[in-house]
Amino acid sequence: MAPRLFSCFGRGGGASSSSPEANATADLTAEELRRRCPVLVELFSSQGCGTSPEADAVLSRLGRGDLGEDLPPVAVLGFHVEYWDYRGWRDPFGSSIWTVRQKAYVESLRLDTLYTPQVVVHGRAQCIGTDIDAIASAVRSAPRFPSPTMQATFQKPAPETLQVAFTGALRTTVDGSGANVMVALYESSLITNCDKGENKGRVLSNDYVVRHLEKLVSVKDMSAKKNLSGSVQFTLWEGFNSAKCGLILFVQNSSLQTFGVQHFRIPDTI
């Protein structure tokens, strides 16, 4: 890919949003209002981008709840792209799959180009990943939906395989245009000694790094209270530690707008 297509941004920028017609609605009873889901915050970054480490630190603070008590709960995911690898450092967590995901947001949000570090909030707004004020504003402005009430059952059919079965209700009505229920497996507390590229000589810290993203099921014409079930299977990596990992289940329509988010801890005994 030609380098001129990409940008590596620092501070500034502000948030922008897109509002294509939604194809899911929330059944907001009083009980569900009390159980509104977290806001999904996705960071696209790279260890080969000189300003991404600052954004990675912002993401970690956001996930810990350190960016302000007035913010609603969030679920954060870090997607490492690979298009800065040509600068001399190959991001060990980078993947062209995540670049494809970022390109889909460029299209849905009607942007001109890819860049890092970029934050996408609930699939509806985006801003530079180092701009704390813009991120906080986008999180506060994000629509809130009832949290899904899915139950998860964990198994390891083989030492290198994690299988998770889900059953329950999305608590969101999906119309005939449909939506996908996705499950992300992330890992935190990752430390990398970077000896090449723009971050040469730095010790890089990363949290909420997405290791795998799988589609649980596609749904359409579904009421908010109808139960569904499905399972996903993840291939585990060397050094997998369940205490450092977690799962985030979320619902997105064809415009990548998010309508429901649920967080799961992985049992220590798995």
Side-chain angles (χ1 to χ4, degrees):
M1 296 182 184
R4 63 185 178 82
L5 295 178
F6 312 125
S7 301
C8 189
F9 288 165
R11 290 188 178 276
S16 66
S17 63
S18 176
S19 56
E21 184 176 354
N23 63 305
T25 56
D27 181 12
L28 295 177
T29 66
E31 173 64 19
E32 287 162 339
L33 283 170
R34 290 193 292 270
R35 301 184 61 174
R36 285 181 174 180
C37 73
V39 175
L40 182 64
V41 178
E42 302 174 60
L43 171 67
F44 293 92
S45 71
S46 170
Q47 291 188 354
C49 166
T51 51
S52 281
E54 182 182 353
D56 294 329
V58 171
L59 185 79
S60 297
R61 291 178 57 196
L62 181 65
R64 293 193 303 266
D66 292 345
L67 289 191
E69 296 181 357
D70 62 324
L71 291 181
V74 297
V76 297
L77 294 173
F79 291 94
H80 285 228
V81 297
E82 93 302 345
Y83 51 78
W84 293 120
D85 289 358
Y86 79 95
R87 289 190 169 180
W89 175 254
R90 184 179 182 276
D91 190 326
F93 313 115
S95 172
S96 60
I97 297 174
W98 309 147
T99 299
V100 171
R101 181 169 180 82
Q102 188 182 22
K103 285 181 177 179
Y105 278 126
V106 169
E107 182 176 349
S108 67
L109 296 174
R110 301 174 183 174
L111 306 176
D112 293 329
T113 185
L114 298 171
Y115 71 89
T116 56
Q118 180 187 35
V119 159
V120 177
V121 178
H122 241 27
R124 291 167 163 81
Q126 69 87 35
C127 58
I128 295 174
T130 54
D131 192 334
I132 294 176
D133 291 340
I135 294 171
S137 177
V139 169
R140 291 189 193 98
S141 301
R144 303 289 302 285
F145 294 86
S147 179
T149 54
M150 304 291 285
Q151 299 293 320
T153 303
F154 296 83
Q155 292 182 322
K156 285 185 72 176
E160 70 283 357
T161 303
L162 176 66
Q163 183 172 306
V164 190
F166 296 89
T167 184
L170 296 181
R171 315 303 282 173
T172 300
T173 297
V174 181
D175 71 11
S177 297
N180 292 324
V181 183
M182 309 297 296
V183 182
L185 171 62
Y186 70 81
E187 183 178 18
S188 292
S189 302
L190 294 168
I191 302 297
T192 305
N193 292 307
C194 183
D195 57 14
K196 295 179 181 179
E198 287 196 7
N199 293 308
K200 181 179 179 179
R202 300 180 67 176
V203 177
L204 305 178
S205 177
N206 295 112
D207 293 317
Y208 310 108
V209 174
V210 177
R211 290 294 205 157
H212 296 289
L213 178 65
E214 298 290 343
K215 182 169 70 175
L216 177 68
V217 66
S218 295
V219 296
K220 65 179 180 178
D221 294 321
M222 174 174 279
S223 70
K225 297 181 180 179
K226 182 178 179 179
N227 282 347
L228 61 84
S229 61
S231 64
V232 291
Q233 188 165 288
F234 301 107
T235 299
L236 302 179
W237 54 94
E238 183 178 356
F240 168 78
N241 181 349
S242 61
K244 296 168 58 178
C245 300
L247 297 178
I248 292 178
L249 177 149
F250 57 96
V251 187
Q252 285 192 317
N253 67 7
S254 59
S255 297
L256 299 182
Q257 293 182 326
T258 302
F259 293 95
V261 182
Q262 190 174 358
H263 185 260
F264 298 87
R265 297 292 182 185
I266 301 175
D268 294 337
T269 54
I270 194 68

